[in-house]
Amino acid sequence: MRIVRYHEHGDPEVLRVDEAPLPEPGPGLVRLRSEAIGVNFAGLQERAGIFYGRQAPLPACPGGDVAGVVDAVGPGVTGVEPGARVASIIFHDSYADYVLARAHDLVPVPEGMDAAEATMLSSPGQVGLEVVKAARLAAGESVLVHAAAGAIGHLVVQMAKALGAGQVVAAANSPEKLDFARSLGADAGVDYSAPGWADEVRALTGGAGVDVVLDSVGADVTGLSIALLKPYGRLVFYGSAGGGRRLPAVSMAELAGIRYVTHFNMAALDGDLAAIEETARTVSEMVLSGRVRPVVHAQLPLTEAAKAHRLMEERTQLGRVVLVP
């Protein structure tokens, strides 16, 4: 089978197509025949060697989200049969014709759902929903969503609205992205690549600031966002797209306005299968009901993984970029 690997860290061009034997599912695992592979920004950082989380030994293949068909099941797996159409987060070796997934990560794909859209039932949808939940969002509260046009961000904008947010302010780095976020329900938008964007947020909120910030950018954006929080406001940090391995430091002085900051990571819920299953069900219901609309920006052949990474590094995509075997 084909698998896309990098044998050294570097630019997208280090990605190359290798041949590998069909993986055999061990205990608790299933093998999927890939129909679509969602490219995650973390995968770009893995390839470049700047991801703040796990670092796989070389040669390596980025993680991603795969929608496909169960091809084989490993020992001890129950409730999953070959032929089932599912989506799953794949932590490594995801850019391949066949992948191994943990049985408890599988999300059923509704009949008739496009495979590219179905990749968002996995980590993008689940992370998005859990991030909003981590913020303890109350009805009518104001929310600032960073990277609001990305694979997760465009879902977060819609989820915040669906869960009762009042004013949702989208932050992105171009007018096209801000228009896209507004089309999905954002009430206003600011370009966080422009000087004075934080002042724009204050003006949009009548000088009050926001109740919640959902931050997947990091770097200097985090500190400026904390300063925008109202008393008892909450910032949820869940990615470092702008800072790589350099995670933002938060001082007690920044929290003096009765502000709360937490760092969300899905790994913290890894052992709570009931919570994971409930989140997956809720995400699926939101998509099927039309309250949340997954958007696919581009579908590229598996052999053009480097092009997919380059497209995402240009920071121009609206929604998700997907590889198709």
XYZ file of all heavy atoms in Angstrom, residues 28 33 52 60 64-65 71 102 109 112 115 163 175 191 201 212 236-237 244 246 257 273 275 281 295:
184
model
N -7.642 -4.384 20.258
C -8.318 -3.100 20.399
C -8.267 -2.217 19.180
O -8.760 -1.085 19.213
N -9.961 1.012 5.396
C -9.618 1.375 4.031
C -9.997 2.845 3.865
O -11.153 3.202 3.941
C -10.361 0.496 3.032
C -10.135 0.910 1.567
C -10.785 -0.066 0.602
N -12.201 -0.261 0.862
C -13.166 0.585 0.478
N -12.848 1.712 -0.153
N -14.430 0.320 0.738
N 4.324 21.087 19.448
C 4.608 21.139 20.881
C 4.211 19.854 21.608
O 4.534 19.682 22.776
C 3.947 22.357 21.532
C 2.438 22.292 21.684
C 1.858 21.734 22.815
C 1.599 22.822 20.713
C 0.480 21.688 22.974
C 0.225 22.784 20.855
C -0.330 22.219 21.985
O -1.694 22.179 22.127
N 8.533 9.185 9.532
C 7.233 9.312 10.172
C 6.186 9.770 9.162
O 6.511 10.314 8.106
C 7.307 10.298 11.336
N -3.836 12.516 11.395
C -4.946 13.209 10.751
C -6.252 12.531 11.102
O -6.316 11.740 12.047
N -7.285 12.838 10.368
C -8.603 12.235 10.584
C -8.981 11.463 9.333
O -8.942 12.014 8.226
C -9.646 13.311 10.862
C -9.341 14.091 12.123
O -9.573 13.543 13.210
O -8.856 15.231 12.021
N -11.979 -2.664 7.479
C -11.486 -3.729 6.598
C -11.151 -4.995 7.375
O -11.262 -6.107 6.866
C -10.255 -3.201 5.859
C -9.583 -4.233 4.987
O -10.171 -4.600 3.956
O -8.471 -4.678 5.345
N -7.954 3.010 16.776
C -8.433 2.425 18.022
C -9.953 2.278 17.926
O -10.658 3.211 17.535
C -8.050 3.306 19.213
C -6.547 3.500 19.352
C -6.184 4.261 20.598
N -6.819 5.561 20.681
C -6.576 6.454 21.638
N -5.704 6.165 22.598
N -7.185 7.623 21.646
N -20.321 6.922 10.458
C -20.604 7.925 9.434
C -22.041 7.730 8.961
O -22.398 6.645 8.504
C -19.637 7.804 8.244
C -20.033 8.772 7.126
C -18.210 8.080 8.697
N -24.994 8.235 3.445
C -25.069 9.307 2.468
C -24.136 10.470 2.709
O -24.020 11.349 1.855
N -17.469 11.508 2.354
C -16.329 11.090 3.170
C -15.487 12.273 3.630
O -15.006 12.305 4.773
C -15.465 10.104 2.389
N -24.913 26.611 20.777
C -24.996 26.383 22.214
C -25.362 27.643 22.988
O -25.227 27.684 24.204
C -23.671 25.804 22.726
C -23.356 24.401 22.187
C -21.964 23.965 22.609
C -24.394 23.390 22.662
N -9.772 39.353 4.779
C -11.188 39.684 4.595
C -12.005 38.494 4.106
O -13.157 38.325 4.497
C -11.145 40.795 3.534
C -9.792 41.406 3.658
C -8.882 40.265 4.021
N -9.319 41.258 11.956
C -8.113 40.686 11.366
C -7.004 40.723 12.411
O -6.442 41.776 12.696
C -7.718 41.486 10.119
C -6.493 40.918 9.414
O -5.797 40.079 10.010
O -6.241 41.329 8.269
N -11.859 44.679 18.848
C -12.738 43.802 19.625
C -13.399 44.590 20.752
O -14.605 44.457 20.998
C -11.965 42.596 20.193
C -12.863 41.754 21.100
C -11.411 41.726 19.066
N -15.665 35.005 26.705
C -14.933 33.784 26.373
C -14.011 34.041 25.192
O -14.396 34.714 24.235
C -15.907 32.634 26.026
C -15.175 31.443 25.417
C -16.691 32.202 27.263
N -9.761 29.572 26.686
C -9.382 28.176 26.493
C -8.338 28.127 25.377
O -8.621 28.453 24.230
C -10.589 27.293 26.122
C -10.139 25.835 25.977
C -11.683 27.402 27.174
N -7.128 27.735 25.740
C -6.029 27.580 24.791
C -6.021 26.129 24.315
O -6.032 25.205 25.116
C -4.701 27.920 25.481
C -3.480 27.665 24.638
C -3.049 28.619 23.729
C -2.764 26.489 24.759
C -1.917 28.396 22.955
C -1.641 26.255 23.991
C -1.220 27.209 23.087
N 4.122 27.462 17.554
C 4.852 26.205 17.501
C 5.131 25.666 18.892
O 4.244 25.585 19.742
N 6.797 27.064 21.161
C 6.856 28.131 22.169
C 5.447 28.427 22.665
O 4.703 29.189 22.060
C 7.500 29.386 21.572
C 7.667 30.533 22.570
C 8.421 31.687 21.933
N 7.702 32.286 20.824
C 6.813 33.280 20.977
N 6.528 33.739 22.187
N 6.205 33.788 19.920
N -7.659 40.552 36.803
C -9.021 41.030 36.579
C -10.059 39.938 36.753
O -11.136 40.012 36.161
N -14.313 6.964 28.157
C -14.974 6.529 26.929
C -16.402 7.038 26.844
O -16.897 7.353 25.764
C -14.939 5.007 26.823
C -13.542 4.368 26.764
C -13.663 2.873 26.517
C -12.690 5.019 25.686
N -17.585 9.869 27.968
C -17.558 11.276 27.552
C -17.236 11.400 26.070
O -17.834 12.216 25.356
C -16.539 12.047 28.385
N -21.572 11.658 19.606
C -23.004 11.654 19.282
C -23.523 13.074 19.089
O -24.296 13.360 18.164
C -23.805 10.954 20.380
C -23.737 9.433 20.337
C -24.813 8.829 21.216
N -24.636 9.185 22.617
C -23.925 8.468 23.489
N -23.309 7.354 23.090
N -23.816 8.840 24.752
N -17.300 22.401 6.208
C -16.941 22.941 4.902
C -15.595 22.371 4.466
O -14.612 22.441 5.219
C -16.879 24.479 4.927
C -16.439 25.018 3.563
C -18.231 25.062 5.326
